[in-house]
Amino acid sequence: MAGSALWFFLLLAAALAGRATALWPWPQYIQTSDLRYPIFPHNFQFQYHVSSAAQPGCSVLDEAFQRYRDLLFGSDFWHRPDPAEKQHTLEINSLVIHVATPGCDQLPSLESAENYTLTINDEQNFLFSETVWGALRGLETFSQLVWRSPEGTFFINKTEIEDFPRFPHRGLLLDTSRHYLPLSSILNTLDVMAYSKFNVFHWHMVDDPSFPYESFTFPELTRKGSYNPATHIYTAQDVKEVIEYARLRGIRVLVEFDTPGHTQSWGPGAPGLLTPCYSGSQPSGTFGPVNPILNSTYEFMSTFFLEVSSVFPDFYLHLGGDEVDFSCWKSNPDIQDFMKKKGFGNDFKKLESFYIQTLLDIVSAYGKGYVVWQEVFDNKVKVPLSRRLW
């Protein structure tokens, strides 16, 4: 707590002093000075460079310009002249944005370039980037550089920044199964991610407690597996809104449907999918992980992930594969027989590997890449390098 308080006061002091040390994350290269330029909201505008590949009508940047105006000056402040406003020789009245390559209607990807250069000096106020995604990161940096004096005037210091992310995947995971989060909370989270230049929303959508994803192929999964099928689900429109809201902030949506474990919520809506557990020679009435020995299991997964592949446009799907409890599989006589026929002996990691590899083949057939948890590798599953990310 003491360290957090100290950091807060250092940032506050830096802001009051008009310095650029409150930037987050810290740029790769920055040079700044105490020379400062006033910004009057009524005069200020974001402006496309005449030769930029992005021009008015670019959804990503048009919306970003409005968003950052509101963040900087308030939603109504800039509509009316500032009483303190007057002509200044060194006043900053625009930030000119130049994007080198087109791509306003595309989705961000793992390969998206996010580098940018931001220049604030006597001659120019200029943001250059290879892509619109880099421009978004530069706009965020610009917004962090603007500060307000005790008298109420906005300023920005003379600054030169060259920046690019250290990691192409900068993710935040939300679990919306164990604790359902309303759509508004997810959208607010995406806003906060953009402030810190995170670019992957890892949506751990379903798990043992609930199945809130509204499947149009298997609607019973949601009707019987969610906390409440009327109030605690994510409709197709909700998912579309999240994906587009994220796109406009340069954020990918990486959805996770974890199997074969963490699937208790799947069972009520998909009879026969989970493994019946046994107590001695009789079924106990409980169920374990997905049943990996049935053809019907893979038919179900083929159909379900065909839907998922069409709904979530990112190249990668997260397939989980972690924390598989083998005790139910061990108790089931049909699985024991299957193990013998396959020559797996008593090594249930081999059975898990059999399931995971079959699932990876299914997803690959739809032109998707996949992400899995570390335990998949620990259990010696053979994951083709061309499709994996961890």
Side-chain angles (χ1 to χ4, degrees):
M1 181 63 71
S4 299
L6 176 61
W7 180 240
F8 170 78
F9 284 115
L10 286 172
L11 292 179
L12 178 62
L16 292 175
R19 301 178 66 85
T21 50
L23 290 175
W24 178 262
W26 193 250
Q28 299 289 339
Y29 167 84
I30 178 171
Q31 185 174 15
T32 188
S33 78
D34 290 333
L35 178 61
R36 63 187 190 179
Y37 309 107
I39 301 176
F40 296 108
H42 184 66
N43 287 348
F44 180 82
Q45 61 179 333
F46 294 106
Q47 180 180 331
Y48 291 98
H49 191 269
V50 64
S51 63
S52 170
Q55 292 293 325
C58 174
S59 58
V60 172
L61 293 184
D62 283 353
E63 295 215 14
F65 293 166
Q66 180 64 53
R67 191 164 66 247
Y68 279 104
R69 264 195 170 281
D70 294 345
L71 282 170
L72 283 167
F73 310 124
S75 57
D76 62 296
F77 192 173
W78 57 275
H79 289 288
R80 51 187 171 79
D82 187 333
E85 200 169 306
K86 55 185 178 180
Q87 192 66 36
H88 285 250
T89 305
L90 296 178
E91 173 189 345
I92 299 295
N93 56 27
S94 68
L95 178 67
V96 178
I97 291 88
H98 184 282
V99 176
T101 59
C104 289
D105 299 320
Q106 297 173 359
L107 288 151
S109 71
L110 181 65
E111 294 77 26
S112 293
E114 297 176 84
N115 57 301
Y116 66 90
T117 299
L118 179 63
T119 303
I120 306 294
N121 59 31
D122 294 357
E123 288 77 37
Q124 61 177 336
N125 310 301
F126 195 73
L127 170 61
F128 173 83
S129 64
E130 292 290 334
T131 67
V132 291
W133 318 120
L136 287 178
R137 308 307 174 221
L139 287 169
E140 175 59 35
T141 297
F142 177 83
S143 74
Q144 295 178 17
L145 288 171
V146 175
W147 55 279
R148 197 173 185 186
S149 70
E151 295 75 29
T153 302
F154 293 94
F155 289 97
I156 189 169
N157 287 55
K158 180 179 180 180
T159 306
E160 176 73 24
I161 289 176
E162 294 179 13
D163 196 18
F164 59 88
R166 183 180 176 190
F167 301 105
H169 180 118
R170 306 180 304 282
L172 179 74
L173 183 152
L174 281 187
D175 184 335
T176 57
S177 172
R178 293 178 176 89
H179 186 89
Y180 176 83
L181 294 170
L183 180 63
S184 59
S185 294
I186 294 176
L187 300 184
N188 287 339
T189 299
L190 292 170
D191 280 329
V192 174
M193 288 176 64
Y195 301 155
S196 293
K197 303 189 175 97
F198 278 45
N199 68 347
V200 180
F201 171 42
H202 180 167
W203 195 350
H204 186 89
M205 187 177 275
V206 305
D207 208 293
D208 283 330
S210 69
F211 196 102
Y213 170 71
E214 188 175 48
S215 169
F216 57 80
T217 307
F218 299 104
E220 292 300 301
L221 290 171
T222 316
R223 291 174 189 163
K224 296 182 178 180
S226 63
Y227 287 129
N228 186 311
T231 61
H232 286 59
I233 63 172
Y234 301 108
T235 66
Q237 183 56 42
D238 292 337
V239 171
K240 286 181 181 178
E241 185 171 348
V242 168
I243 292 170
E244 178 62 8
Y245 198 91
R247 184 187 79 87
L248 292 173
R249 287 153 183 78
I251 298 171
R252 298 163 48 210
V253 177
L254 173 65
V255 71
E256 180 182 354
F257 289 94
D258 192 356
T259 67
H262 294 278
T263 48
Q264 290 299 298
S265 65
W266 302 51
L273 181 65
L274 302 186
T275 304
C277 306
Y278 275 67
S279 179
S281 61
Q282 299 296 322
S284 65
T286 61
F287 296 88
V290 165
N291 193 331
I293 71 172
L294 302 177
N295 289 335
S296 59
T297 292
Y298 301 105
E299 292 169 359
F300 172 91
M301 293 298 172
S302 294
T303 304
F304 179 73
F305 279 102
L306 177 61
E307 172 189 330
V308 170
S309 298
S310 69
V311 170
F312 293 91
D314 195 81
F315 175 68
Y316 289 99
L317 297 175
H318 201 305
L319 303 177
D322 67 321
E323 299 175 336
V324 182
D325 184 352
F326 295 150
S327 60
C328 185
W329 283 353
K330 291 178 180 179
S331 75
N332 186 291
D334 293 330
I335 288 185
Q336 292 170 11
D337 290 342
F338 183 85
M339 295 275 288
K340 291 177 183 177
K341 291 177 182 177
K342 286 289 185 180
F344 294 163
N346 293 318
D347 188 351
F348 284 86
K349 291 181 180 180
K350 291 182 179 179
L351 182 60
E352 179 191 7
S353 179
F354 173 83
Y355 170 82
I356 292 290
Q357 287 175 348
T358 306
L359 183 61
L360 299 185
D361 290 341
I362 289 170
V363 170
S364 293
Y366 299 138
K368 288 287 190 177
Y370 38 73
V371 186
V372 292
W373 290 115
Q374 178 66 34
E375 287 170 67
V376 173
F377 298 96
D378 293 342
N379 291 345
K380 310 302 181 184
V381 177
K382 296 176 182 177
V383 181
L385 286 170
S386 60
R387 291 280 180 176
R388 75 183 185 185
L389 172 72
W390 64 94

